[in-house]
Amino acid sequence: MTQLALLIAALSTLLQGPQESPEVPNTFSSFETAHLSNGLKVWFKRLPDEPVVSISVALPFGADQDPPGKEQLAHFTEHMLFSDQPGLTEEEIKRQIEALGGVYNASVTADRTFYFVRIGKEHALFALEWLYRILAPHAMSPEVVEGQREPVALEVRARPRQLFDWIWALYLNPPVLRLPGFWEREFGVETLSSRDYYPYVSLYSIDSDDLRWFYETYYVPSLMTLTIIGDLERDSVFRKVDETFASLPQGEEPDTSAVPIDPNRYRQSIFWVYRSNVYYNSRFKFYNLDAEREAMLIFLARFLSKRLNDELRFGEQKATYGIRVGIVKRGRAAYLYISGGIKEEEFDYARGVVKRELEALRAGSLSESEFEADRAAVARQLRVTNSSSEDLEGWVRGYFYDPRIHSGFPDLVARFDSVSLWEAQAFVREHFVPERQVLTLIRPHPINQILLVFMVAAIVWMVVQFAAGWMIQSVDMTRIRYVARFRTPRLYRLATSLLLLALVAILGRTLVFGFEVLVDRVLLRLDSFTLQWSAYGAMLAVTVLLSVMVLAHIPRRLLVFDDRLLIKYLSFRSVSIPASEVRELSLERFSAVWLTKRLWKCVPLALGLFGPAVYLRGQRGWAYYFNVRDKTELLRLLEDIVPHALAAGASDSDSEDPRTPG
């Protein structure tokens, strides 16, 4: 009998056909918006049968408001609010929520600060009062400040700079030699990358007054958004809100009149690195974002994500594991990105699909039925993936945190359902334009790494050989009569070496900065591996040649021939002084060279403090002031070669006879 009943029921179901499942509720709808007497905005949403209540407070201010030299002030303020309450330790404050099974935390990003508590609905009113005490004015007592400084320092890894840190901060990466980062270059927004950010110094320079100033300036109720989501009775929630958050002191809103700057130009950057696929990242920038544009951006991000992944990941020609389409905000500035790793052999196809999808919206070639089907799909997904209080809390944290942009909680599901093909097309035509696009491509390097090493070595070898052929002079060594190595005191050699090293370091860093500017403004925009990497090879060649040239200006020894003197340098170069052009050769002390015009166009390799050194001056070019192992022997040898210079030296100076040992 039972089996017969089951069979009849099954046949009845088949005859009736498939039954429509009940529609997933729209949790974005029916948010209540209220404004307290102090200006604080409250969003309340009752979610029947939701066991967890989410309570959060968002502020549209964060690390971007840190004054120079006081970086981490916004972060430090957030730490202080969890610890500085009269009569309670930080552990006791923490235990009040955790003992009831709740979780809490806060986050500070560049443009927002977000506090939240998640707890069972039976403890929600207590959690609401607890969060109020967190956000209420704090004394910022010096003792608590010092107690919280170390946890913040540990979190941001702040420590005193050591040798390599100073080299990095002052030489390798000083602010004056930094190229603008993305936000600064594309939006005119100052970031930490443009500052000399020293976490240890900035953190330990923050005191109680700084923390009170930041709180009083930016923790203004009229710029706060309190959001309460869960299965709670409305009247009891608002009674508790009136008892707590309504008592926050009203403050003056800070000046936020600065708006992002649009450079109004297309930019592309193309790299070749060793990777397995092509990384594609196309960003479209938006300035002075408002609620309507943001809602349309969110829709288009999900709409394009579905369509691109349907074809590039799940279609027959699988070009990628996945294409990501999302939005990044910073105050009123934002960009929509389309990015992902794409198979190299499928890259042209995938890039064409992205262009085709945007062009279909821009030109209006997408059919109405196709648009409505995909729009309905993303709207259903939005319903399904945002059913809990925590899901909705995430939208406040990520998008709806600024009350100057969002007065009411946006009903995204209703907005998705109402977007027309015409609206989407008009929006894309207006905003998805080349002047707002930043394209980054990172392609796989086509040259084997071992081969690249050999190519680098070949460039270095060829440049060195070129320099050698250019600078080495042909000399008949059969006529050489004497070789003397220049001798310098150790301390003097150390000092001059350090001075030379500093000069080379400054010039080298300046050269690198020039290369960086060239790469950023010219080379990265070239979609040609041959041109781009040929330029990199030329930069390497210039660097090697300049290095050789530096060594070619450090004198090493003196060679004496029958008819000339030859100054040999560390690398290849030599300077020949014909005997007839030697105008002065004498022994001079410190004051006769260092304190006179003789030092002009002179290479001083000696000090002459404890005895005279040899002063050699040619008719053209430079003079040399140096010591050798045996000055007497050298000068006696030179009597036959440059007697006129010895006589000139004897008559022009008050030093002793050059043939007399020093």
Side-chain angles (χ1 to χ4, degrees), residues 281-297:
N281 186 17
S282 180
R283 290 172 278 188
F284 291 92
K285 302 170 292 181
F286 293 80
Y287 299 81
N288 201 19
L289 201 65
D290 59 22
E292 178 57 31
R293 289 193 186 98
E294 186 168 5
M296 183 62 79
L297 267 182

Side-chain angles (χ1 to χ4, degrees), residues 239-265:
R239 277 197 300 270
K240 180 61 69 173
V241 169
D242 287 336
E243 295 170 4
T244 54
F245 282 92
S247 65
L248 290 176
Q250 187 172 0
E252 182 180 354
E253 294 184 7
D255 179 22
T256 56
S257 57
V259 295
I261 301 171
D262 183 3
N264 196 36
R265 49 107 176 93

Side-chain angles (χ1 to χ4, degrees), residues 23-24 26 299 371-372 374-383 411-421 423:
E23 189 176 32
V24 177
N26 174 15
F299 167 75
F371 174 80
E372 290 181 356
D374 287 333
R375 182 194 64 190
V378 297
R380 285 194 299 269
Q381 290 172 350
L382 188 66
R383 289 174 181 266
D411 186 345
L412 291 181
V413 171
R415 186 68 186 101
F416 279 25
D417 286 334
S418 68
V419 173
S420 67
L421 177 57
E423 281 184 286

Side-chain angles (χ1 to χ4, degrees), residues 323-368:
I323 289 290
R324 297 178 299 277
V325 185
I327 303 165
V328 176
K329 292 179 56 178
R330 195 168 191 147
R332 290 185 177 271
Y335 63 84
L336 180 143
Y337 65 87
I338 304 171
S339 68
I342 301 171
K343 290 166 61 175
E344 185 176 10
E345 58 272 21
E346 301 285 357
F347 175 70
D348 290 338
Y349 161 72
R351 188 175 182 181
V353 169
V354 174
K355 289 183 177 180
R356 187 184 69 208
E357 289 296 330
L358 290 175
E359 190 58 31
L361 286 172
R362 187 181 296 113
S365 60
L366 187 66
S367 69
E368 185 80 31

Side-chain angles (χ1 to χ4, degrees), residues 477-493:
M477 297 300 292
T478 62
R479 304 182 63 186
I480 192 168
R481 297 182 59 180
Y482 192 83
V483 178
R485 186 171 65 87
F486 296 132
R487 302 170 69 88
T488 56
R490 290 182 180 178
L491 289 178
Y492 180 67
R493 185 164 62 246

